[in-house]
Amino acid sequence: MEIKPQAVVLPKETDHLEQGKYGPVFPRTPACYGFTIVARVKPGHADAMRQYGYALAEALEQDPYLLAPLKLHYLRWVLFDDDTRFMYQGIFDTDFDKYTEDAVALFSKAGVSTAFEHLEGFPEDWRTNPEAFVRFVREHHCPSFIEYGEYPYVTADEIKKALRIKSALSEMLDQMQ
């Protein structure tokens, strides 16, 4: 099986895209699904944002599968412009609407806050108002215009399965020697 890297150029205009519950459904790309949010940090909240990063890392040490329902490939958080702006990038295997609804449900169930609470304009009622959460994310989303995948359209679960098979095969070959 040959895996050929691929790239897809995304349209600037989204009027022709299928409409989901909260807006246009961006197409799955070779990098799967994802979004990038750029927003202003509330004045004086940059340190709290960083502390939230530590808290999330600690929560993941205690429960490595905490974020599993989100089907993430990766997340990237960046504070920039002297800690006045924040960028969130996430790549995941579900569409935008499902990801954001799952995130609200996951954090609400776990009783965990979100780093987004430190961003200007983030709705205080996000736990009970997923529509407001999604609206904030959509309003701050900076869509990609091209996405590339070295291993296109492969889900996080497929990658983990392939790594388990590789490990099992290596173990079997080691035992044969």
Side-chain angles (χ1 to χ4, degrees):
M1 172 183 153
E2 183 180 359
I3 299 172
K4 292 182 182 178
Q6 293 180 31
V8 168
V9 175
L10 298 164
K12 182 176 181 179
E13 300 302 323
T14 60
D15 295 344
H16 68 284
L17 295 177
E18 173 189 346
Q19 294 296 303
K21 188 173 179 181
Y22 305 108
V25 176
F26 290 92
R28 185 172 183 226
T29 73
C32 294
Y33 293 99
F35 58 83
T36 301
I37 297 167
V38 177
R40 293 208 167 276
V41 177
K42 291 178 181 176
H45 282 243
D47 287 341
M49 181 73 81
R50 282 191 169 84
Q51 283 307 119
Y52 184 83
Y54 286 111
L56 182 58
E58 185 177 313
L60 287 165
E61 281 182 23
Q62 294 180 18
D63 180 4
Y65 304 103
L66 176 68
L67 299 178
L70 300 179
K71 302 294 183 188
L72 286 160
H73 286 259
Y74 75 84
L75 290 176
R76 177 172 287 139
W77 295 3
V78 179
L79 285 168
F80 62 103
D81 286 346
D82 293 324
D83 292 350
T84 62
R85 296 199 306 157
F86 172 75
M87 180 180 72
Y88 171 101
Q89 285 184 309
I91 297 292
F92 40 88
D93 290 329
T94 63
D95 68 42
F96 178 92
D97 290 352
K98 179 159 178 38
Y99 177 87
T100 51
E101 286 181 340
D102 288 350
V104 170
L106 176 97
F107 288 120
S108 296
K109 180 181 173 187
V112 178
S113 63
T114 172
F116 291 2
E117 290 178 352
H118 300 290
L119 301 176
E120 291 181 359
F122 188 73
E124 291 183 23
D125 65 345
W126 67 272
R127 289 180 197 271
T128 58
N129 188 354
E131 291 84 9
F133 180 97
V134 173
R135 191 170 37 258
F136 175 87
V137 171
R138 286 216 180 246
E139 287 170 359
H140 292 82
H141 175 54
C142 299
S144 305
F145 65 88
I146 186 168
E147 293 192 4
Y148 168 85
E150 184 71 20
Y151 41 90
Y153 302 101
V154 178
T155 68
D157 286 342
E158 290 170 324
I159 293 167
K160 290 186 273 187
K161 181 179 179 181
L163 291 171
R164 284 192 302 272
I165 290 169
K166 177 186 174 207
S167 177
L169 184 58
S170 291
E171 185 178 323
M172 182 186 72
L173 291 172
D174 288 346
Q175 289 178 8
M176 291 177 66
Q177 293 181 3

